[in-house]
Amino acid sequence: MCGIICYCGHKQAVPILIEGLKRLEYRGYDSAGFSIVDKGKNKIVKAKGRVSRLEEKKIGLAMNSTFGIAHTRWATHGKPSEINAHPQTDCANKISVVHNGIIENYLELKKELEEKGHRFKSETDTEVIPHLIEENFDGDLEVAVLKSVERLRGTFGIAVLHADIDHQIIIVKRGSPIIVGVGKNEYFAASDSNALAPFTNKMIYLSDDEMAVLNTSGYYIKNLKNELLEKKIEVLDASEYKIDKRGFEHYMLKEIFEQPESVQNAYRGRLIESEGVSKLGGLEPVINRLKNINKLIIVSCGTSYYAGLLGRYIFENLTELNIETELASEFRYRRLKLDENVAVLAISQSGETADTLAAIKEAKRKGALLLGIVNTVGTSIAQITDAGVYNHAGPEIGVASTKIYTSQLVILTLMALLIGRYQHISFSEGSEIINALTGLPGQIREILSNAKDIKEIALKYSKYRGFLYIGRLYNYPTAMEGALKLKEISYIHAEGYPAGEMKHGPISLIDKNFPTVAIAPDDLTLDKMVSNMQEIKARNGKILSITNSATQKVLGISDDTIIVPKTIPILQPILNIIPLQLFAYYIANERGCDIDKPRNLAKSVTVE
Ligand code: F6R
């Protein structure tokens, strides 16, 4: 994995491929490369590191080619290097392939191909694909690709070209996203719509086991049984993929500051105030089934998992459903009894996370109703679920998720309110939730207007080497998410814990060099939180508290306190996480970290 962009048209391909690769940089990668065909010659340029290095290397290359494929790689098989970067080629250097995903049976295929005389250059799993196509090629690339993908096990989004076949690019999807972009007498393919934004807003989303053949006179789409398919062209709204930093130093900071709007966009048009209920068009097709389910299992990963963890408390509070929240990577291996009375809700920013996809495919097999909360339109999770709700938060470019987390929490609340109003939630309780939701954007603005003070506090803590984050009930997930933000972008160890568990182990870490971030809002858990904070103070631990009340109980035992506005307890985590996002950001910035592209991380994790 990580990003693919292809061009087939009448303009110079290289500038388009480079621009597309730059727009994929946010996904995280370690090397990049492209392949263009010029007068029957396959010209390949690769570079380790950033796309800007690739750009430097292409200088001096005759660039008349008007078709080509390009890739940013995030190493899975074989270290980051030029040789392992994509495109990978066959022995004759005529067939180029870029690939996202993993070929699980590559060792077996490689052995077979080596025995037939193929010579491999890289350590990648991808390289078996061009060799397999070479083996099957008899003048017709389409036939060779079809025969070859039949042999592949695993996940792939691939793009293929052959130097002897003018202006033909073939793409195939199984488990890893790839879409076609339709321009005027020019055609594109990419792993996500952001890469195509400067060129076209007309996209065709391929489903698994579909292929598209692009040439200058058009394109056609087939399934892998070689049957032609009619696919709808989706016209995307510019706001779905507009990317720029709007003067902020980093995308992450910009996205933190976008939260008043992204939170509002999550509930905009989705509230019926006169009835104290929400209205989610995306769930309407399954509403009758939804009314009859007795169990909801939320599956997701990382930050989306922490949103799901809080979702469990929200649903428990507002509905009569049995709720479980599961890490997607664990869920798929469990022996769970699922049936049509169970709904499985996948939460995913990218809509392409391989673990989450695998989990819901397993749930589908067992007959559960599949629901989704997805930010990226048309992606695999959005396609496979029976119904769902989009975040409409615009692209999230910073690898560390911020605005999508708070948006996910709003949508979980809307879903729980919708179901809860068919159950025990009264009109006045529904109205109270709606009032609290519509108050959030203003309250978030208020927190953001204190960013300077939060920065000052963060700088005081930037030299510590480890942190504990604690919270109870609704703010236990806040502690987990706050700690994740800090560790992923600043590389400082941070452990999120339910505060009550502290005395069962992590308290032994506490001393004057190991500060605690305590999320201690004024709710039914406050007194217990204060006791835990006392235990920390008694061991000389420093405390930074996040609270929504200027009570001496908290102020008196905290070294530093950030006070956020107050809302109803189920929504309070949406406000509490904002200073923690800023805290992590300012510490990482102070330490000179690559905030938008933290080391070893990818924005969209399309391998299990
Ligand atoms: C952390 C982060 C990741 C993602 C996780 C799931 O800041 O961004 O933990 O939340 O990889 O990704 P999605 O939501 O795209 O399924």
Side-chain angles (χ1 to χ4, degrees):
M1 59 180 213
C2 204
I4 293 174
I5 164 92
C6 310
Y7 177 71
C8 187
H10 48 275
K11 298 185 189 129
Q12 279 198 355
V14 173
I16 292 173
L17 297 177
I18 296 281
E19 166 80 15
L21 289 180
K22 284 186 177 165
R23 297 181 70 88
L24 291 167
E25 284 191 295
Y26 75 95
R27 296 165 68 107
Y29 67 103
D30 48 55
S31 50
F34 65 77
S35 177
I36 50 169
V37 177
D38 194 14
K39 300 193 190 89
K41 282 223 156 51
N42 190 5
K43 294 187 176 173
I44 296 173
V45 184
K46 298 189 197 181
K48 188 176 162 208
R50 293 282 143 96
V51 172
S52 50
R53 292 203 52 206
L54 185 70
E55 211 174 0
E56 282 157 26
K57 285 186 85 174
K58 73 151 200 322
I59 294 168
L61 186 76
M63 289 198 309
N64 297 325
S65 170
T66 49
F67 82 112
I69 60 179
H71 188 259
T72 49
R73 173 173 187 257
W74 184 85
T76 56
H77 294 64
K79 60 186 177 306
S81 68
E82 262 184 38
I83 288 192
N84 290 334
H86 301 194
Q88 290 294 325
T89 56
D90 61 331
C91 299
N93 232 20
K94 294 220 171 225
I95 299 166
S96 280
V97 172
V98 293
H99 163 225
N100 283 351
I102 286 189
I103 306 303
E104 286 165 6
N105 58 338
Y106 83 102
L107 284 176
E108 176 189 319
L109 292 171
K110 187 171 175 177
K111 187 162 172 277
E112 179 188 317
L113 288 159
E114 278 174 336
E115 280 165 10
K116 288 185 175 155
H118 290 260
R119 295 170 320 280
F120 281 74
K121 304 168 280 279
S122 77
E123 303 162 280
T124 63
D125 53 338
T126 302
E127 197 183 344
V128 295
I129 308 174
H131 288 284
L132 205 52
I133 298 172
E134 183 179 35
E135 189 62 31
N136 288 317
F137 184 71
D138 197 7
D140 187 331
L141 187 60
E142 209 181 302
V143 172
V145 170
L146 273 173
K147 275 192 185 162
S148 304
V149 294
E150 236 175 58
R151 300 286 320 277
L152 302 179
R153 276 207 319 270
T155 55
F156 44 88
I158 56 172
V160 186
L161 61 73
H162 193 302
D164 291 346
I165 305 176
D166 191 34
H167 282 91
Q168 187 185 64
I169 294 174
I170 299 181
I171 64 171
V172 188
K173 174 181 185 310
R174 179 181 295 159
S176 215
I178 188 144
I179 57 181
V180 176
V182 181
K184 257 199 189 142
N185 303 323
E186 54 181 0
Y187 303 92
F188 306 81
S191 50
D192 82 45
S193 54
N194 292 320
L196 301 184
F199 316 116
T200 179
N201 63 347
K202 298 194 181 80
M203 318 279 171
I204 302 167
Y205 294 91
L206 294 197
S207 300
D208 279 351
D209 289 332
E210 290 181 357
M211 76 190 275
V213 181
L214 318 182
N215 51 44
T216 35
S217 56
Y219 65 88
Y220 49 90
I221 295 171
K222 291 180 163 179
N223 59 24
L224 298 187
K225 290 183 209 136
N226 210 6
E227 296 160 339
L228 279 172
L229 303 172
E230 291 265 337
K231 300 276 292 188
K232 191 171 158 231
I233 300 181
E234 311 272 347
V235 181
L236 293 200
D237 186 321
S239 65
E240 299 284 359
Y241 52 85
K242 191 163 180 243
I243 300 180
D244 77 66
K245 281 197 213 143
R246 286 190 8 224
F248 286 91
E249 200 178 337
H250 293 99
Y251 283 113
M252 180 179 176
L253 190 61
K254 183 194 95 154
E255 287 155 6
I256 292 172
F257 273 82
E258 275 174 356
Q259 289 176 106
E261 293 80 38
S262 54
V263 158
Q264 190 170 12
N265 286 344
Y267 67 70
R268 194 199 299 276
R270 292 171 167 170
L271 299 173
I272 311 178
E273 302 190 10
S274 59
E275 293 174 36
V277 72
S278 53
K279 171 176 148 243
L280 295 167
L283 297 186
E284 262 157 34
V286 297
I287 198 72
N288 287 330
R289 215 175 142 192
L290 207 50
K291 282 185 205 166
N292 290 322
I293 59 161
N294 50 35
K295 183 169 179 174
L296 177 74
I297 306 177
I298 306 176
V299 292
S300 40
C301 308
T303 290
S304 298
Y305 170 71
Y306 296 137
L309 214 50
L310 183 50
R312 185 174 74 191
Y313 292 114
I314 298 173
F315 271 88
E316 243 164 41
N317 202 288
L318 302 185
T319 73
E320 287 157 11
L321 297 175
N322 291 312
I323 316 289
E324 281 177 29
T325 299
E326 286 278 345
L327 282 165
S329 51
E330 292 295 316
F331 174 86
R332 68 166 306 198
Y333 298 108
R334 294 196 48 204
R335 295 188 70 209
L336 288 168
K337 195 171 163 289
L338 305 176
D339 55 37
E340 71 279 4
N341 296 321
V342 178
V344 172
L345 168 61
I347 307 179
S348 178
Q349 185 290 126
S350 61
E352 297 293 353
T353 300
D355 288 318
T356 310
L357 251 177
I360 58 174
K361 282 182 181 164
E362 198 53 39
K364 193 180 184 93
R365 179 194 303 274
K366 293 181 175 153
L369 173 68
L370 295 193
L371 306 174
I373 299 178
V374 172
N375 187 45
T376 316
V377 176
T379 44
S380 304
I381 294 175
Q383 286 189 33
I384 200 177
T385 42
D386 298 305
V389 182
Y390 281 121
N391 294 84
H392 294 312
E396 189 178 62
I397 307 298
V399 164
S401 186
T402 52
K403 66 174 177 173
I404 301 304
Y405 177 69
T406 46
S407 165
Q408 287 166 341
L409 297 180
V410 170
I411 293 173
L412 283 161
T413 309
L414 298 180
M415 280 187 168
L417 177 60
L418 178 72
I419 298 173
R421 285 287 283 125
Y422 289 115
Q423 300 174 344
H424 66 282
I425 291 294
S426 66
F427 167 72
S428 63
E429 286 168 307
S431 299
E432 191 198 356
I433 293 165
I434 289 178
N435 279 340
L437 277 168
T438 53
L440 287 174
Q443 292 177 311
I444 297 173
R445 273 189 202 101
E446 201 181 318
I447 301 170
L448 294 172
S449 69
N450 293 327
K452 253 178 85 193
D453 301 336
I454 297 170
K455 180 175 181 180
E456 242 171 63
I457 293 176
L459 297 190
K460 275 173 47 184
Y461 286 83
S462 65
K463 299 278 182 305
Y464 288 97
R465 302 192 51 197
F467 284 78
L468 182 66
Y469 281 63
I470 54 169
R472 279 175 181 262
L473 195 68
Y474 304 116
N475 288 291
Y476 150 46
T478 314
M480 305 296 287
E481 171 60 6
L484 178 64
K485 286 291 87 83
L486 184 67
K487 68 185 139 196
E488 67 184 329
I489 60 166
S490 72
Y491 319 138
I492 296 173
H493 177 65
E495 202 157 345
Y497 244 83
E501 275 292 295
M502 199 185 62
K503 56 189 174 297
H504 300 291
I507 196 163
S508 65
L509 293 165
I510 303 292
D511 64 17
K512 65 180 183 356
N513 298 316
F514 193 79
T516 298
V517 178
I519 301 114
D522 185 7
D523 63 20
L524 65 116
T525 66
L526 182 62
D527 288 339
K528 289 263 169 19
M529 271 305 291
V530 169
S531 304
N532 298 136
M533 291 158 76
Q534 295 285 11
E535 288 156 13
I536 291 163
K537 267 283 105 170
R539 286 156 183 86
N540 292 324
K542 250 180 163 329
I543 299 179
L544 163 62
S545 56
I546 312 294
T547 185
N548 58 3
S549 133
T551 164
Q552 265 312 310
K553 281 190 205 172
V554 174
L555 296 185
I557 49 168
S558 303
D559 297 273
D560 294 282
T561 305
I562 298 171
I563 301 181
V564 297
K566 189 166 188 171
T567 180
I568 57 173
I570 56 166
L571 296 180
Q572 190 65 48
I574 295 180
L575 300 179
N576 294 349
I577 195 63
I578 312 263
L580 297 181
Q581 295 168 342
L582 287 169
F583 182 73
Y585 171 83
Y586 289 124
I587 289 184
N589 204 27
E590 177 67 9
R591 294 166 70 97
C593 300
D594 191 353
I595 291 180
D596 285 332
K597 298 181 210 90
R599 68 184 183 203
N600 306 337
L601 287 176
K603 182 68 183 161
S604 181
V605 185
T606 53
V607 291
E608 282 179 59

mmCIF file of all heavy atoms in Angstrom, residues 169-191:
data_model
loop_
_atom_site.group_PDB
_atom_site.id
_atom_site.type_symbol
_atom_site.label_atom_id
_atom_site.label_comp_id
_atom_site.label_asym_id
_atom_site.label_seq_id
_atom_site.Cartn_x
_atom_site.Cartn_y
_atom_site.Cartn_z
ATOM 1 N N ILE A 169 -4.561 1.326 -19.853
ATOM 2 C CA ILE A 169 -4.257 1.070 -18.438
ATOM 3 C C ILE A 169 -5.383 0.200 -17.903
ATOM 4 O O ILE A 169 -6.566 0.476 -18.138
ATOM 5 C CB ILE A 169 -4.166 2.390 -17.632
ATOM 6 C CG1 ILE A 169 -2.956 3.207 -18.107
ATOM 7 C CG2 ILE A 169 -4.053 2.111 -16.132
ATOM 8 C CD1 ILE A 169 -2.844 4.585 -17.499
ATOM 9 N N ILE A 170 -4.994 -0.866 -17.197
ATOM 10 C CA ILE A 170 -6.018 -1.751 -16.641
ATOM 11 C C ILE A 170 -5.936 -1.669 -15.123
ATOM 12 O O ILE A 170 -4.835 -1.728 -14.550
ATOM 13 C CB ILE A 170 -5.786 -3.203 -17.095
ATOM 14 C CG1 ILE A 170 -5.879 -3.248 -18.626
ATOM 15 C CG2 ILE A 170 -6.794 -4.154 -16.457
ATOM 16 C CD1 ILE A 170 -5.692 -4.614 -19.227
ATOM 17 N N ILE A 171 -7.079 -1.484 -14.499
ATOM 18 C CA ILE A 171 -7.085 -1.483 -13.037
ATOM 19 C C ILE A 171 -8.011 -2.597 -12.545
ATOM 20 O O ILE A 171 -8.999 -2.935 -13.208
ATOM 21 C CB ILE A 171 -7.500 -0.112 -12.450
ATOM 22 C CG1 ILE A 171 -8.928 0.246 -12.826
ATOM 23 C CG2 ILE A 171 -6.546 0.979 -12.852
ATOM 24 C CD1 ILE A 171 -9.456 1.467 -12.101
ATOM 25 N N VAL A 172 -7.667 -3.149 -11.396
ATOM 26 C CA VAL A 172 -8.492 -4.220 -10.815
ATOM 27 C C VAL A 172 -8.601 -3.978 -9.320
ATOM 28 O O VAL A 172 -7.643 -3.534 -8.685
ATOM 29 C CB VAL A 172 -7.848 -5.619 -11.028
ATOM 30 C CG1 VAL A 172 -8.815 -6.722 -10.602
ATOM 31 C CG2 VAL A 172 -7.412 -5.828 -12.456
ATOM 32 N N LYS A 173 -9.776 -4.268 -8.772
ATOM 33 C CA LYS A 173 -9.977 -4.086 -7.332
ATOM 34 C C LYS A 173 -10.428 -5.383 -6.661
ATOM 35 O O LYS A 173 -11.351 -6.037 -7.124
ATOM 36 C CB LYS A 173 -11.048 -3.021 -7.076
ATOM 37 C CG LYS A 173 -11.415 -2.875 -5.595
ATOM 38 C CD LYS A 173 -12.492 -1.844 -5.384
ATOM 39 C CE LYS A 173 -12.829 -1.559 -3.943
ATOM 40 N NZ LYS A 173 -13.097 -2.626 -3.040
ATOM 41 N N ARG A 174 -9.736 -5.710 -5.585
ATOM 42 C CA ARG A 174 -10.247 -6.712 -4.656
ATOM 43 C C ARG A 174 -9.779 -6.306 -3.257
ATOM 44 O O ARG A 174 -8.614 -6.455 -2.924
ATOM 45 C CB ARG A 174 -9.740 -8.114 -4.982
ATOM 46 C CG ARG A 174 -10.273 -9.150 -3.981
ATOM 47 C CD ARG A 174 -9.770 -10.548 -4.247
ATOM 48 N NE ARG A 174 -10.256 -11.060 -5.507
ATOM 49 C CZ ARG A 174 -9.663 -12.066 -6.168
ATOM 50 N NH1 ARG A 174 -8.578 -12.615 -5.655
ATOM 51 N NH2 ARG A 174 -10.145 -12.495 -7.304
ATOM 52 N N GLY A 175 -10.662 -5.721 -2.501
ATOM 53 C CA GLY A 175 -10.353 -5.416 -1.096
ATOM 54 C C GLY A 175 -9.584 -4.129 -0.870
ATOM 55 O O GLY A 175 -9.501 -3.643 0.238
ATOM 56 N N SER A 176 -9.008 -3.559 -1.898
ATOM 57 C CA SER A 176 -8.230 -2.327 -1.728
ATOM 58 C C SER A 176 -8.778 -1.317 -2.736
ATOM 59 O O SER A 176 -8.943 -1.667 -3.905
ATOM 60 C CB SER A 176 -6.771 -2.650 -2.019
ATOM 61 O OG SER A 176 -5.955 -1.908 -1.202
ATOM 62 N N PRO A 177 -9.044 -0.097 -2.301
ATOM 63 C CA PRO A 177 -9.808 0.792 -3.159
ATOM 64 C C PRO A 177 -9.104 1.234 -4.434
ATOM 65 O O PRO A 177 -7.899 1.454 -4.432
ATOM 66 C CB PRO A 177 -10.025 2.016 -2.263
ATOM 67 C CG PRO A 177 -8.924 1.966 -1.283
ATOM 68 C CD PRO A 177 -8.627 0.522 -1.051
ATOM 69 N N ILE A 178 -9.880 1.343 -5.487
ATOM 70 C CA ILE A 178 -9.381 1.984 -6.705
ATOM 71 C C ILE A 178 -10.597 2.498 -7.474
ATOM 72 O O ILE A 178 -11.618 1.818 -7.564
ATOM 73 C CB ILE A 178 -8.447 1.055 -7.522
ATOM 74 C CG1 ILE A 178 -7.798 1.841 -8.671
ATOM 75 C CG2 ILE A 178 -9.128 -0.176 -8.037
ATOM 76 C CD1 ILE A 178 -6.375 1.427 -8.950
ATOM 77 N N ILE A 179 -10.495 3.723 -7.941
ATOM 78 C CA ILE A 179 -11.639 4.332 -8.615
ATOM 79 C C ILE A 179 -11.216 4.871 -9.977
ATOM 80 O O ILE A 179 -10.037 5.143 -10.197
ATOM 81 C CB ILE A 179 -12.242 5.488 -7.774
ATOM 82 C CG1 ILE A 179 -11.181 6.539 -7.467
ATOM 83 C CG2 ILE A 179 -12.840 4.989 -6.486
ATOM 84 C CD1 ILE A 179 -11.701 7.689 -6.627
ATOM 85 N N VAL A 180 -12.188 5.049 -10.840
ATOM 86 C CA VAL A 180 -11.923 5.629 -12.161
ATOM 87 C C VAL A 180 -12.376 7.085 -12.116
ATOM 88 O O VAL A 180 -13.428 7.401 -11.570
ATOM 89 C CB VAL A 180 -12.739 4.876 -13.240
ATOM 90 C CG1 VAL A 180 -12.555 5.526 -14.613
ATOM 91 C CG2 VAL A 180 -12.352 3.418 -13.287
ATOM 92 N N GLY A 181 -11.570 7.981 -12.684
ATOM 93 C CA GLY A 181 -11.964 9.374 -12.824
ATOM 94 C C GLY A 181 -12.242 9.654 -14.293
ATOM 95 O O GLY A 181 -11.444 9.275 -15.163
ATOM 96 N N VAL A 182 -13.367 10.302 -14.560
ATOM 97 C CA VAL A 182 -13.751 10.510 -15.959
ATOM 98 C C VAL A 182 -13.589 11.986 -16.306
ATOM 99 O O VAL A 182 -14.226 12.857 -15.699
ATOM 100 C CB VAL A 182 -15.230 10.083 -16.165
ATOM 101 C CG1 VAL A 182 -15.642 10.271 -17.619
ATOM 102 C CG2 VAL A 182 -15.430 8.637 -15.739
ATOM 103 N N GLY A 183 -12.697 12.284 -17.271
ATOM 104 C CA GLY A 183 -12.526 13.661 -17.720
ATOM 105 C C GLY A 183 -13.016 13.799 -19.157
ATOM 106 O O GLY A 183 -13.746 12.932 -19.645
ATOM 107 N N LYS A 184 -12.591 14.902 -19.818
ATOM 108 C CA LYS A 184 -12.985 15.095 -21.226
ATOM 109 C C LYS A 184 -11.943 14.436 -22.108
ATOM 110 O O LYS A 184 -10.814 14.931 -22.216
ATOM 111 C CB LYS A 184 -13.001 16.603 -21.525
ATOM 112 C CG LYS A 184 -14.394 17.151 -21.564
ATOM 113 C CD LYS A 184 -14.416 18.479 -22.294
ATOM 114 C CE LYS A 184 -15.792 19.089 -22.113
ATOM 115 N NZ LYS A 184 -15.749 20.505 -21.933
ATOM 116 N N ASN A 185 -12.281 13.352 -22.737
ATOM 117 C CA ASN A 185 -11.327 12.578 -23.533
ATOM 118 C C ASN A 185 -10.066 12.219 -22.762
ATOM 119 O O ASN A 185 -8.984 12.089 -23.343
ATOM 120 C CB ASN A 185 -10.918 13.334 -24.805
ATOM 121 C CG ASN A 185 -12.118 13.679 -25.629
ATOM 122 O OD1 ASN A 185 -13.053 12.887 -25.708
ATOM 123 N ND2 ASN A 185 -12.110 14.871 -26.199
ATOM 124 N N GLU A 186 -10.157 12.150 -21.480
ATOM 125 C CA GLU A 186 -9.022 11.699 -20.669
ATOM 126 C C GLU A 186 -9.591 10.963 -19.459
ATOM 127 O O GLU A 186 -10.669 11.301 -18.974
ATOM 128 C CB GLU A 186 -8.120 12.870 -20.241
ATOM 129 C CG GLU A 186 -8.856 13.977 -19.530
ATOM 130 C CD GLU A 186 -7.957 15.150 -19.130
ATOM 131 O OE1 GLU A 186 -6.744 15.126 -19.399
ATOM 132 O OE2 GLU A 186 -8.498 16.086 -18.509
ATOM 133 N N TYR A 187 -8.842 9.968 -19.014
ATOM 134 C CA TYR A 187 -9.341 9.100 -17.955
ATOM 135 C C TYR A 187 -8.251 8.895 -16.911
ATOM 136 O O TYR A 187 -7.063 8.933 -17.232
ATOM 137 C CB TYR A 187 -9.825 7.757 -18.551
ATOM 138 C CG TYR A 187 -10.882 8.046 -19.586
ATOM 139 C CD1 TYR A 187 -10.540 8.222 -20.928
ATOM 140 C CD2 TYR A 187 -12.201 8.270 -19.203
ATOM 141 C CE1 TYR A 187 -11.490 8.584 -21.868
ATOM 142 C CE2 TYR A 187 -13.160 8.630 -20.137
ATOM 143 C CZ TYR A 187 -12.803 8.796 -21.469
ATOM 144 O OH TYR A 187 -13.737 9.178 -22.379
ATOM 145 N N PHE A 188 -8.707 8.750 -15.693
ATOM 146 C CA PHE A 188 -7.782 8.656 -14.577
ATOM 147 C C PHE A 188 -8.156 7.429 -13.744
ATOM 148 O O PHE A 188 -9.275 6.923 -13.851
ATOM 149 C CB PHE A 188 -7.923 9.875 -13.654
ATOM 150 C CG PHE A 188 -7.778 11.200 -14.341
ATOM 151 C CD1 PHE A 188 -8.851 11.773 -15.046
ATOM 152 C CD2 PHE A 188 -6.573 11.893 -14.277
ATOM 153 C CE1 PHE A 188 -8.723 12.994 -15.669
ATOM 154 C CE2 PHE A 188 -6.436 13.122 -14.902
ATOM 155 C CZ PHE A 188 -7.507 13.684 -15.605
ATOM 156 N N ALA A 189 -7.229 7.031 -12.892
ATOM 157 C CA ALA A 189 -7.593 6.063 -11.851
ATOM 158 C C ALA A 189 -6.810 6.470 -10.619
ATOM 159 O O ALA A 189 -5.727 7.060 -10.723
ATOM 160 C CB ALA A 189 -7.219 4.651 -12.270
ATOM 161 N N ALA A 190 -7.357 6.198 -9.455
ATOM 162 C CA ALA A 190 -6.656 6.554 -8.227
ATOM 163 C C ALA A 190 -7.204 5.738 -7.076
ATOM 164 O O ALA A 190 -8.298 5.189 -7.155
ATOM 165 C CB ALA A 190 -6.820 8.046 -7.921
ATOM 166 N N SER A 191 -6.393 5.697 -6.016
ATOM 167 C CA SER A 191 -6.845 4.953 -4.845
ATOM 168 C C SER A 191 -7.774 5.800 -3.982
ATOM 169 O O SER A 191 -8.467 5.269 -3.140
ATOM 170 C CB SER A 191 -5.646 4.485 -4.025
ATOM 171 O OG SER A 191 -4.786 5.579 -3.802
#
